[in-house]
Amino acid sequence: MEALDPIETQVLTTDDVELAGTLLRVGDLVAIPTETVYGLGANGLAADAMDRIYAAKGRPSDNPLILHVCNQSMVHRLVRHITPLEQTLMDTFWPGPLTITFEKSALVPERATGGLSRVALRCPAHEVCREMIRIAGVPIAAPSANRSGRPSPTTAEAVLHDMKGRIHAVVDAGPCEIGVESTVVQVEGDTVIILRPGGVTKEMLEMVADHVVYDTALHDPTEAPKAPGMKYRHYAPDMPVQVLVGSSSAVVESIQSKVPMYKRIGLFLSQQTWDILIEALGIKPTTISEDTHVSQLASFGVGADTQDIVTIIFGETAEPVSLANQLYEGLLAFNEKDVDLLIVEGCKKEGLGVAVMNRLEKASGGQIYIIE
Ligand code: TXA
Ligand code: MG
């Protein structure tokens, strides 16, 4: 990654929205809270400000940015036209975790769209975020505020871990509510094409559109995805990751067969699976700490030739909403724990589970095992 001259990163609070909005307007980089993940914000009409986003993230220049607006009236000067279905999507899902791509107007710099003719727009549900955009008075370009390829940040601490010294400020508004990014869609005729699954599910889109399909590139690796960012390795922690999907007892059986092969293994599990595992291994955790926002972290040794098992529990059962909520923070927490292999209990590809499993597929480089 290119070396940048370090800048002092201010940590702001939600009382500082006036300052944050002003910094954004004048071209500074400010990490902003949204309901999905923290974004790395900059003035979306200023090419030089967006250049700084690409440099700070180490992001490939063909991967376009989402412009964030504070209301629908901001959209009109950024797009050439709005179709009735696009209008319905905005009326139904904004403010919220839905990003819609439109034919861009001349006002939108090519820098925002990586040279594409369409611009991606989203109006976030997070009120502090919308207030900052209103004060800035311009659309705010904001990719997730991680270094390219790493898990997205859902807390200000995670932003600082990747971006301290590279951005002017971060606005700390606590953990993000949803935990995975927005759904990115493109409308073609009467069809909504999902380019990236996210916070607004296919089932939700089907309530207002007759035809909702996934971009075929999402399940065919030989095709170029319409959202350029989907082709890159992503969300990856530092160690190898395997994802197991199945009943708790099937997951436990598979974990038991792997434990002896690793010195230090990480487990990201539901409470239910964890309880069965403890029973099966006949051990009790030696330490339980609350040192992350994720619910519980336990570490213990097994057998004479001690192996360490580091576990984080993400929820009662392997249910998409809680897994989404804890996903990136969990992956980042394991980076600190120096494990040789991370096993993640996945969930069904239903509702928000489609987005969660899409992120886990990227994080694991495709190492997903269905064991039912
Ligand atoms: O929830 C979110 O969407 C977060 C928060 C900060 O709003 N933002 C985010 O941005 O996830 P980023 O840059 O990490 O991901 C944007 C995705 C990428 O896959 C990119 O390729 C796609 O949206 N995208 C952006 N503009 C596009 C366009 N004009 N056409 C197709 N895909 C586009
Ligand atoms: Mg991202």
Side-chain angles (χ1 to χ4, degrees), residues 192-211:
V192 177
I193 307 173
I194 299 176
L195 310 188
R196 176 179 72 177
V200 170
T201 64
K202 183 168 186 269
E203 294 82 350
M204 289 160 79
L205 292 165
E206 279 165 348
M207 294 194 299
V208 296
D210 290 340
H211 303 285

Side-chain angles (χ1 to χ4, degrees), residues 7 26 33 90 97 116 227 348 350 372:
I7 42 183
V26 301
M90 287 192 284
L116 299 177
K348 288 213 171 82
E350 281 165 14
E372 256 178 331

Side-chain angles (χ1 to χ4, degrees), residues 233 237-244 254-269 308-312 331 334-335 337-344 363-364 367 369:
R233 178 145 195 259
D238 297 339
M239 75 299 285
V241 178
Q242 289 182 11
V243 183
L244 306 179
S254 175
I255 292 172
Q256 276 183 289
S257 70
K258 289 173 200 281
V259 168
M261 297 190 291
Y262 295 89
K263 189 85 194 121
R264 196 167 164 82
I265 200 165
L267 303 176
F268 195 31
L269 300 180
D308 279 331
I309 300 182
V310 180
T311 305
I312 295 177
L331 294 180
F334 281 107
N335 269 354
K337 298 292 166 196
D338 216 18
V339 297
D340 308 318
L341 172 72
L342 172 59
I343 294 179
V344 182
S364 67
Q367 301 284 302
Y369 302 94

Side-chain angles (χ1 to χ4, degrees), residues 57 59 143-146 150 152 181 196 234-235:
K57 275 186 67 95
R59 180 172 175 115
S144 50
N146 50 288
R150 304 210 348 118
S152 305
E181 295 85 345
R196 176 179 72 177
H234 239 136
Y235 317 113

Side-chain angles (χ1 to χ4, degrees), residues 99-295:
T99 297
I100 308 168
T101 71
F102 298 86
E103 284 296 329
K104 81 173 194 69
S105 72
L107 186 66
V108 177
E110 296 249 309
R111 208 72 192 96
T113 64
L116 299 177
S117 64
R118 299 181 77 89
V119 61
L121 301 181
R122 146 163 144 83
C123 180
H126 202 291
E127 279 175 26
V128 172
C129 181
R130 284 207 311 280
E131 182 61 8
M132 280 185 284
I133 302 169
R134 197 188 59 73
I135 291 163
V138 289
I140 299 300
S144 50
N146 50 288
R147 293 214 194 182
S148 214
R150 304 210 348 118
S152 305
T154 52
T155 62
E157 294 79 48
V159 172
L160 286 167
H161 182 277
D162 272 24
M163 290 295 165
K164 194 166 186 221
R166 305 174 77 83
I167 60 175
H168 298 93
V170 53
V171 178
D172 186 349
C176 300
E177 202 188 310
I178 299 178
V180 293
E181 295 85 345
S182 64
T183 304
V184 181
V185 299
Q186 176 176 328
V187 172
E188 262 178 30
D190 63 354
T191 302
V192 177
I193 307 173
I194 299 176
L195 310 188
R196 176 179 72 177
V200 170
T201 64
K202 183 168 186 269
E203 294 82 350
M204 289 160 79
L205 292 165
E206 279 165 348
M207 294 194 299
V208 296
D210 290 340
H211 303 285
V212 183
V213 297
Y214 289 107
D215 180 8
T216 48
L218 285 176
H219 41 255
D220 180 355
T222 62
E223 260 191 61
K226 288 192 180 64
M230 298 300 284
K231 69 175 176 273
Y232 295 108
R233 178 145 195 259
H234 239 136
Y235 317 113
D238 297 339
M239 75 299 285
V241 178
Q242 289 182 11
V243 183
L244 306 179
V245 186
S247 65
S248 280
S249 49
V251 169
V252 163
E253 210 173 293
S254 175
I255 292 172
Q256 276 183 289
S257 70
K258 289 173 200 281
V259 168
M261 297 190 291
Y262 295 89
K263 189 85 194 121
R264 196 167 164 82
I265 200 165
L267 303 176
F268 195 31
L269 300 180
S270 67
Q271 184 74 51
Q272 183 182 317
T273 301
W274 157 255
D275 289 342
I276 297 177
L277 181 71
I278 292 183
E279 187 84 5
L281 292 174
I283 45 171
K284 290 253 178 290
T286 51
T287 51
I288 292 194
S289 66
E290 300 271 343
D291 67 348
T292 70
H293 290 287
V294 284
S295 7

